[in-house]
Amino acid sequence: MSPLPCHQPASVARSAAAARHRLLVAGLLALLSAELSAFDLGDPFATREITPERPALRIDGRVLPCQLPAADAPYGIVEAVDLALCRNPATREVWSAARVQAADVGLAQAEFLPTLDGRATASRIRVDSRSSSQRNASLTLSWLLFDFGARSANLEVARQLMRAATSTLDASVQTVFLNAMQAYYNAQAARAAVSAAIESEKASRESLNAAEVRYRVGTGTPADRLQAQTAWSQATLTRIRAEGVRENSLGRLANVMGLDANQPLRLDDPPSARPDERFSDDVAALIGEARLRRPDLQAAEAEYRASVAGIDYARASGLPTLSLAAGPAWESVGGVSANAGSIGLTLNLPLFSGFTTTYNVRAAQARSDVAAARRDNVRQQVALEVWESWQSLNTATQTLRTTADLLASAEHSERVALGRYKAGVGNILDVLNAQSALANARLQRVQAALDWHVSRATLARALGILDGQLLSSKPGRQEETR
């Protein structure tokens, strides 16, 4: 008899088994591809809702565009702070860290869901002169049902660290905000110092001209002329040094704004200093307000709560767990195929782990004590910063008012001394002393105004309320190109 009738059923069975194998593999690949694509593109746990927005300056509810001014436009305080918040690497770093922590919250939530794994293999087995094909495919569902709160504790840790990351971002934004304001006002002070030095140089030159006139007509002495010459040279040297300080301060301002230090900057006029009563409340009330608002204190509190949840996680990690596993399987060996399926519960009982759980709990408790100490330290530091900033603002306010009188009297004294000398009834020392006092009064007046702005911003930052509302919106314009 022909062997075909005997081999025909086996061939048909192998073909059918191969078809089922290909179909199962294709189904597994399609299912896994669809699921992976969905999870890659989506956000199933809505972590974007807890992710803080990119740092930007907001004034009256409007977000500034974070763009460089036109080439011929001056930089005001608003532009300086806006660029610092969105271009400074420090703000980008902490914002990225907050996004990482938001993703960690999603990872902690994912531990509550089952996992589905697909597996497909194909191999060729050869024993002596015989060979055969082996194929198998399976789907496995795994689900941790009970773990004595380990996953819940881990999720609480992730959520508290997310709050800490958000608060750290807020604190970093306020720090960069303050640094930008300080750099801007320091640049303005350096620019004003150059202007004051130029005025002093002109006044010294005028005194030298007066001394030369009196020397030529015989009413002045060579000593007067030499002293005036020395004062003029000193004023010129002071102006040169002031110009160097101005260039360095502009470079530091460009650096804070995320620009190269050699970026040409043209500064707008600073806003006028208008002492107000906004921060004149009782300092104890201000300290209480700061402890409620300060983002760094909020971050320290969130880190402490995360460490407390970490103790629960360490304890639960050493307790039993109950898991579910289920799934179908298919296997074909040498043309013989079989289908199978399984479902079962697994109870894991950690009996002895070398005291790992004991020391993990102790370490978690110690970390909680460290976090509590850090929180208390920040709490005390907040009170100190508010106190010092409040005192500095009061001093700056009083200084601002006093320097106005000082400048007025110095200007009057210089005019009188120079007029008397030109009239032949005064001496050159009186003129030079009056001009020196006027130069100092100009610098003190400018520095007092800018110190007031910085002190006001420093107190706002100490209170945790430094924002765009503190910036003046319509300063005047005066060019200063580097």
Side-chain angles (χ1 to χ4, degrees), residues 269-287:
D269 271 355
S272 60
R274 298 183 298 273
D276 52 34
E277 303 299 324
R278 179 176 179 184
F279 299 123
S280 62
D281 298 336
D282 179 65
V283 67
L286 293 179
I287 291 175

Side-chain angles (χ1 to χ4, degrees), residues 396-459:
T397 301
Q398 296 174 16
T399 301
L400 183 63
R401 292 165 179 164
T402 303
T403 52
D405 298 333
L406 174 64
L407 179 59
S409 62
E411 289 175 342
H412 182 69
S413 176
E414 191 270 345
R415 287 194 300 268
V416 171
L418 183 58
R420 284 172 54 84
Y421 184 74
K422 289 181 177 180
V425 294
N427 61 70
I428 192 65
L429 290 179
D430 292 338
V431 176
L432 298 180
N433 288 336
Q435 289 177 345
S436 177
L438 176 58
N440 290 332
R442 285 171 177 158
L443 289 178
Q444 291 184 55
R445 176 59 180 171
V446 170
Q447 192 63 52
L450 299 177
D451 284 346
W452 181 85
H453 283 292
V454 173
S455 298
R456 186 166 174 257
T458 302
L459 179 55

